[in-house]
Amino acid sequence: MLCAAGCTLAFTACGNATESGIEKLIESQGGGDVDLDLDGDGGFSVQTEEGGMSIDEDGNFIITDADGSVVTGNADAETGEFNVESEDGSFSAGATTELPEQWPGDIPEPNGLAITSATVIDSDTEQAITVSGSVEDDGFVESYASALESAGFNEDSTFKSDGTINNAYSNDTWTIGVVYFGDQSENQVIVSVYSNS
């Protein structure tokens, strides 16, 4: 499937003769029977015996495996955002200045963190959210620790070395990691939230 997608992306601007040539190339590499359709607007679709994949000019994609399971999503080249949805759950990542809407209400917001990116994994069995960005100084770690402890979280571990702080907190529902990287130009923090299954 990856070979098919790579070949197709390289030749999306070509015509029917090229489609036929790419199909034969993929089939010769063990891809089985392949049906390729190159959209003149920049999209394409590939169907094989193992499933299929299609993507349009806006970065919206659909992937189907041999069992009929479907994954849909979007990759935005301009913003760097990437979103995936399947029957098992969802994944999203990208640049943002906002706390994800999935942030649990029983976890204090990381006030003082200037968020620059976030990732969210959400399924029936787990939830994981990571936000990263910059802070004024390492006082953020102590301030956020106080907020977490006031909300009923326990400090499980703490580690400090050469401008780096790595702390972990938990309650019955969540585990939270707070990592601080001190730098002369910019102090970075990553806050990770994981559901306890």
Side-chain angles (χ1 to χ4, degrees):
M1 183 70 77
L2 290 176
C3 176
C7 289
T8 305
L9 284 170
F11 296 103
T12 45
C14 303
N16 291 336
T18 301
E19 284 183 20
S20 178
I22 296 173
E23 287 176 359
K24 292 185 188 315
L25 174 63
I26 297 170
E27 290 169 357
S28 72
Q29 297 297 315
D33 186 25
V34 175
D35 182 21
L36 175 64
D37 182 17
L38 301 178
D39 183 343
D41 293 329
F44 71 87
S45 66
V46 178
Q47 295 295 323
T48 73
E49 296 169 356
E50 299 298 320
M53 173 180 173
S54 66
I55 186 167
D56 67 17
E57 65 274 10
D58 296 321
N60 300 304
F61 60 85
I62 300 172
I63 301 171
T64 307
D65 69 13
D67 297 327
S69 296
V70 176
V71 175
T72 61
N74 176 271
D76 191 320
E78 290 184 11
T79 65
E81 293 182 10
F82 184 72
N83 299 287
V84 176
E85 297 272 347
S86 77
E87 60 187 26
D88 297 323
S90 63
F91 170 83
S92 63
T96 183
T97 58
E98 303 291 330
L99 200 63
E101 62 182 22
Q102 297 91 338
W103 189 267
D106 55 341
I107 298 177
E109 296 185 3
N111 296 324
L113 175 63
I115 298 171
T116 56
S117 66
T119 61
V120 177
I121 298 172
D122 198 358
S123 73
D124 293 338
T125 59
E126 69 172 322
Q127 185 174 28
I129 301 171
T130 299
V131 292
S132 61
S134 61
V135 295
E136 188 172 328
D137 54 39
D138 62 1
F140 167 85
V141 178
E142 185 175 340
S143 174
Y144 194 50
S146 295
L148 289 170
E149 289 169 3
S150 295
F153 286 84
N154 299 311
E155 183 179 79
D156 297 328
S157 64
T158 183
F159 173 79
K160 297 181 181 181
S161 176
D162 299 328
T164 300
I165 303 171
N166 191 340
N167 293 352
Y169 309 86
S170 68
N171 64 13
D172 291 340
T173 309
W174 304 102
T175 295
I176 301 174
V178 179
V179 182
Y180 168 87
F181 301 97
D183 187 280
Q184 291 182 347
S185 60
E186 194 171 30
N187 303 304
Q188 297 291 311
V189 165
I190 300 171
V191 178
S192 302
V193 173
Y194 304 96
S195 58
N196 296 332
S197 27

